[in-house]
Amino acid sequence: MSRVALPQDEADLLKRVLCEMPEVNLWNPGPRHPWLPLAQELARRGFVALTPDRFGGAEVTVTATGARALIEAGVIKARELAGGADRLLRVLINYRAGYEAGRTDPSLGDLSWGAIRDSPHNRAALSVLKRRGLIEERSKTAQEIEHLAGCRFVRATDAGMRA
């Protein structure tokens, strides 16, 4: 993986928003916060999303591009993200193992698949797992599209079960 040049102040802000805020991947700076101009520059480059609030400040969230830049720059590891790759793989392994061992009701369908919320930090973790061949993804049924919008359906592959 190639290293991305990310200035220290940008890396610090991205890491704080993504990993260290009380609410994961959400920061609400006021209109006069000294880091707001830096957040605006990061938004221009696609590393964060800014949503104006009614007080003149903004809601700041790190995008998948920003999370990927942090990982590629070596600032964080994918497993450090909320819903990180290691934790996510363990959950998917348990789903599939439970289904294959017959611990789920067969009338409910194939419960070896997990519905994972499609968020920037989960996208980054899923990307790492998919690139390593540890998970597979499937498209949603019409009913799932209606009831589970904003989720991705994934499960551990045979290689993932052995990991």
Side-chain angles (χ1 to χ4, degrees):
M1 186 181 296
S2 64
R3 296 281 180 190
V4 172
L6 200 59
Q8 189 63 43
D9 57 341
E10 293 178 358
D12 288 345
L13 180 59
L14 288 171
K15 183 177 179 184
R16 282 191 179 125
V17 171
L18 192 59
C19 302
E20 299 171 6
M21 291 292 163
E23 190 170 333
V24 174
N25 197 21
L26 181 63
W27 175 49
N28 295 92
R32 294 193 180 114
H33 196 286
W35 289 351
L36 194 52
L38 179 58
Q40 290 167 335
E41 170 59 21
L42 289 168
R44 188 185 64 74
R45 293 177 26 218
F47 289 167
V48 298
L50 290 178
T51 307
D53 67 15
R54 62 184 178 184
F55 305 110
E59 271 189 3
V60 179
T61 56
V62 177
T63 64
T65 303
R68 220 175 357 264
L70 279 174
I71 293 166
E72 290 174 1
V75 176
I76 63 172
K77 297 193 181 313
R79 68 177 168 263
E80 293 177 50
L81 298 175
D86 291 347
R87 189 173 129 243
L88 198 52
L89 182 59
R90 280 195 307 274
V91 168
L92 295 171
I93 287 170
N94 288 333
Y95 283 167
R96 184 169 169 189
Y99 177 75
E100 290 177 354
R103 291 190 297 263
T104 60
D105 183 353
S107 68
L108 297 175
D110 186 351
L111 296 180
S112 66
W113 294 89
I116 305 299
R117 190 169 64 95
D118 192 15
S119 64
H121 49 271
N122 284 345
R123 244 178 266 135
L126 290 172
S127 172
V128 167
L129 294 171
K130 196 182 275 188
R131 209 172 32 245
R132 292 180 187 162
L134 301 176
I135 63 167
E136 59 186 330
E137 186 169 0
R138 71 167 171 82
S139 55
K140 300 178 205 174
T141 65
Q143 186 179 11
E144 290 167 343
I145 289 171
E146 181 180 343
H147 296 290
L148 295 166
C151 289
R152 295 169 68 179
F153 287 86
V154 295
R155 78 170 171 185
T157 60
D158 291 340
M161 294 297 284
R162 292 187 301 270

